[in-house]
Amino acid sequence: MSNRDDERPDENPASTKSLHDDDRDPLGLSPQVPSDIPRGLDRRKFIMRSAVISAAAVMTGCARSETERTAPPPAAESPQTVATSGTGAAPVVPLSPDLDVVKKEKGPVLTTVDEFYKVGPGPSSSHTIGPMRITYDFYQRATKLPADKLAKATALRVNLFGSLSATGKGHGTERAALAGLVGKEPATVDPKFLDGLRDKPDQVFPVKLGNKSIDVSLKDVIYDATKGDFKHPNTMTVKLLAGDEVLLEQEYYSVGGGFIEWKGYTPPKKNPPKYPFKTMKELRTYADDNKTTIAKIMLANEMSITGRSEQEVNAFIDKIINAMVATVKSGLSMSEDDVLPGPIKLHSKAATVYKRAMDDKYEAERGIGALSAFALAASEENGRGHLVITAPTGGSAGVMPSLVYGLLEVRKVDRQKVRDGMLAAAAVGYLCKHHATLSAAEGGCQAEIGVASAMSAALVATAYDAPSLVVENAAESALEHHLGMTCDPVAGYVQVPCIERCAFGAVKAWTAFAIASNEIASRHRVNFDETVMALAQTAKDMNSKYKETSEAGLAQSVTLC
Ligand code: SF4
């Protein structure tokens, strides 16, 4: 049986080495831009075309031949033109030169599980957990101001922009932002506190800053401009004021999955990973060369980056696994007469779907019905604003818990195998974050449910001891079949299409695993890195109306009465 990598004759170790060693241009763009420019081709266009093709070659491991690189463009080249090889090779879609993956070197993946899997209140990692972390961060910074400055403070003010303003009301962004200001953190906040703010929006809370106490309420969180030249679609500012004077101001970005950044942000310094990787190909090569698994490589990296022991990493993963199981159980326990918050008046259906599926005559229907019910259960919990786990986001918080619950509670798979699955799933999520996005405001629903489904496929494949290539193929397949999926939550609430979409993401993950584990793995034609590039490109090209603005799609066609 041939190995897929063996089917790429022009790949060589030197090209992988250049990823790490060429610090001028680690994507290898410059060295691969030829000096001879074909006649009739504009120099700038030619260099840009060569650069994006080279970037694609480095990411995918498919080096382009000199003939390909110097071939004149097709007669009517448009920005969407497919660059084809004169030798009959597969077409390569040029990446937009504006994409981070093309223009920005990010080094190896340094994300760790405790940054990635976050427990927090639903319904959205970017619109609920992120804003709460942001205002909590600002509160911490404000407490460090000199006493004489704090003595002058009279008010705290939060301004929400872009998608945070467009759909924040349906996500409870103002409540989350206020909770952070009064010193509450996502992992420990009692969801009843947030429910209380919804039921009694006029409540006023004292915020202690040094010897000073400032009263804050929801009136201090302002839904500002939805459109503008923002650095990120989820931008917000937080200010400490003394009358009209600004004592402290910070511009923040909720960049997806509960991750936050701010103006002037630089990633924290971390220890180097034992196995530095930037692509799935590199990660899988480490696993295969060391005759081990993707999960074991990831564990070694977690330990070297964080300095934690294996037991400590496992303890954190167990905490996340247990929280996922708890969210499914809690969702399944809700009555079918329960109505989710908001104007849609959506009834819970997880328990009904589960009970009826169990009565089904056929085993396959029972399996699909149960998996869907588990995903509905966790996603409905997200809709209620209860605690969920970002895997990778709040909107997609039903997908992975469904598979984790199914493996542990139904199939009784060994916990260590599920832990390994969580690490392989994290690798998939990290790579999507590294090269594309986890934010629906940047990439639509493919970046949320699509990534969650890919992570889940890797989880299941790993839990069933699949070889590393099968793990990659399963993740690739799940992601591939979510490409292009838009985000258009009805009324700005993470309920329609989000809750059912989690069920579909879970079932697709299982389908991807079923196909990947039954096909001849080396014949799987598309690799994971290529699909992540497609995710990034599709995110870039997607009409902004379909990126968590509720300005199009279902959000416009569904009438609420
Ligand atoms: S449509 Fe998808 S991306 Fe958008 S809020 Fe719902 S789950 Fe999240």
Side-chain angles (χ1 to χ4, degrees):
M1 195 188 300
S2 71
N3 177 300
R4 185 177 59 190
D5 292 338
D6 295 337
E7 292 163 14
R8 296 187 179 132
D10 46 4
E11 178 182 306
N12 60 59
S15 64
T16 304
K17 187 168 180 289
S18 69
L19 277 171
H20 306 296
D21 297 348
D22 184 354
D23 57 10
R24 284 171 301 130
D25 189 350
L27 276 177
L29 303 185
S30 309
Q32 294 201 43
V33 177
S35 52
D36 296 336
I37 298 178
R39 275 198 314 166
L41 180 57
D42 169 76
R43 178 182 170 81
R44 195 177 164 280
K45 261 193 193 166
F46 176 71
I47 290 176
M48 187 55 74
R49 189 167 65 96
S50 301
V52 293
I53 292 172
S54 299
V58 171
M59 282 275 299
T60 61
C62 285
R64 300 288 131 191
S65 68
E66 189 64 14
T67 312
E68 288 173 75
R69 283 186 273 122
T70 56
E77 191 170 76
S78 75
Q80 303 302 318
T81 297
V82 171
T84 53
S85 141
T87 59
V92 172
V93 180
L95 291 175
S96 161
D98 295 336
L99 286 171
D100 278 356
V101 62
V102 173
K103 70 181 183 186
K104 218 195 261 175
E105 159 55 14
K106 289 183 167 178
V109 170
L110 292 173
T111 315
T112 54
V113 282
D114 56 322
E115 295 168 326
F116 192 76
Y117 293 123
K118 289 181 281 296
V119 179
S124 166
S125 54
S126 58
H127 287 55
T128 315
I129 297 176
M132 195 185 297
R133 293 187 67 208
I134 282 170
T135 48
Y136 183 78
D137 177 85
F138 185 84
Y139 164 73
Q140 299 292 329
R141 290 177 194 228
T143 58
K144 296 186 180 82
L145 286 177
D148 58 328
K149 252 193 174 183
L150 288 178
K152 294 200 292 180
T154 55
L156 282 153
R157 182 76 28 85
V158 179
N159 291 69
L160 305 168
F161 299 95
S163 173
L164 290 179
S165 179
T167 62
K169 286 200 177 102
H171 295 76
T173 305
E174 79 282 14
R175 299 191 291 275
L178 185 66
L181 272 189
V182 302
K184 304 213 180 279
E185 288 185 275
T188 51
V189 67
D190 184 344
K192 288 195 189 110
F193 175 82
L194 298 168
D195 290 351
L197 279 176
R198 185 179 54 222
D199 299 339
K200 291 187 194 158
D202 294 331
Q203 291 178 76
V204 175
F205 301 89
V207 175
K208 198 98 174 91
L209 287 169
N211 294 326
K212 192 83 191 216
S213 181
I214 299 169
D215 285 344
V216 292
S217 72
L218 288 175
K219 292 197 181 83
D220 295 303
V221 184
I222 292 151
Y223 282 100
D224 215 314
T226 56
K227 294 201 166 47
D229 189 18
F230 311 122
K231 185 162 180 279
H232 189 277
N234 294 330
T235 292
M236 56 195 274
T237 59
V238 195
K239 296 187 195 107
L240 178 66
L241 300 165
D244 290 338
E245 185 192 350
V246 178
L247 300 174
L248 180 67
E249 177 175 6
Q250 186 65 56
E251 181 174 306
Y252 288 95
Y253 318 106
S254 178
V255 298
F259 287 90
I260 65 169
E261 294 179 6
W262 48 85
K263 203 172 189 173
Y265 171 87
T266 50
K269 287 260 176 292
K270 295 182 175 176
N271 298 323
K274 183 167 182 191
Y275 300 103
F277 70 91
K278 286 190 285 193
T279 61
M280 177 60 84
K281 179 179 166 48
E282 290 175 315
L283 174 60
R284 195 163 58 72
T285 301
Y286 283 127
D288 295 347
D289 287 354
N290 288 285
K291 301 203 178 346
T292 186
T293 61
I294 287 173
K296 291 282 177 281
I297 297 293
M298 293 299 295
L299 175 65
N301 278 3
E302 292 288 332
M303 292 165 66
S304 57
I305 294 170
T306 64
R308 296 199 180 107
S309 67
E310 182 175 343
Q311 288 72 24
E312 287 170 319
V313 175
N314 280 341
F316 178 80
I317 294 174
D318 278 347
K319 196 174 104 183
I320 296 300
I321 288 174
N322 294 343
M324 285 184 171
V325 169
T327 190
V328 173
K329 278 189 178 154
S330 174
L332 286 175
S333 72
M334 300 301 288
S335 148
E336 63 188 12
D337 294 326
D338 174 69
V339 177
L340 298 180
I344 307 176
K345 310 263 180 272
L346 195 67
H347 280 86
S348 303
K349 61 181 166 196
T352 314
V353 170
Y354 180 69
K355 276 190 224 118
R356 293 187 178 181
M358 288 302 97
D359 292 339
D360 207 290
K361 179 168 147 194
Y362 298 106
E363 193 180 353
E365 267 85 339
R366 289 200 294 279
I368 293 170
L371 203 54
S372 303
F374 303 154
L376 294 171
S379 188
E380 286 173 355
E381 280 293 276
N382 185 60
R384 288 182 195 102
H386 290 176
L387 291 184
V388 292
I389 303 93
T390 60
T393 63
S396 60
V399 183
M400 258 185 82
S402 164
L403 279 310
V404 165
Y405 189 88
L407 291 170
L408 267 179
E409 301 287 312
V410 181
R411 290 274 172 102
K412 306 292 180 197
V413 170
D414 179 64
R415 178 169 278 259
Q416 184 53 47
K417 291 191 189 299
V418 179
R419 285 187 193 128
D420 288 349
M422 296 289 288
L423 284 166
V428 167
Y430 296 174
L431 285 165
C432 292
K433 175 176 185 291
H434 205 68
H435 293 296
T437 178
L438 304 178
S439 162
E442 277 189 304
C445 200
Q446 54 173 356
E448 291 203 14
I449 302 278
V451 174
S453 187
M455 291 169 60
S456 303
L459 160 82
V460 179
T462 303
Y464 280 116
D465 289 328
S468 63
L469 182 56
V470 172
V471 174
E472 174 183 349
N473 290 347
E476 184 288 314
S477 198
L479 185 61
E480 179 183 327
H481 300 293
H482 285 88
L483 288 178
M485 198 159 72
T486 59
C487 169
D488 48 3
V490 172
Y493 278 73
V494 189
Q495 296 177 10
V496 178
C498 322
I499 291 172
E500 285 186 4
R501 200 164 270 184
C502 280
F504 279 86
V507 173
K508 273 200 211 177
W510 198 279
T511 308
F513 162 66
I515 294 173
S517 57
N518 288 310
E519 69 183 342
I520 296 170
S522 60
R523 293 184 184 167
H524 193 89
R525 184 58 191 83
V526 184
N527 71 41
F528 181 76
D529 297 317
E530 289 166 333
T531 304
V532 174
M533 281 204 310
L535 171 66
Q537 182 70 66
T538 311
K540 177 79 186 163
D541 291 342
M542 189 181 283
N543 188 310
S544 62
K545 284 193 295 189
Y546 292 96
K547 297 183 187 178
E548 209 168 5
T549 60
S550 292
E551 286 179 359
L554 280 175
Q556 288 300 307
S557 65
V558 173
T559 311
L560 297 177
C561 22

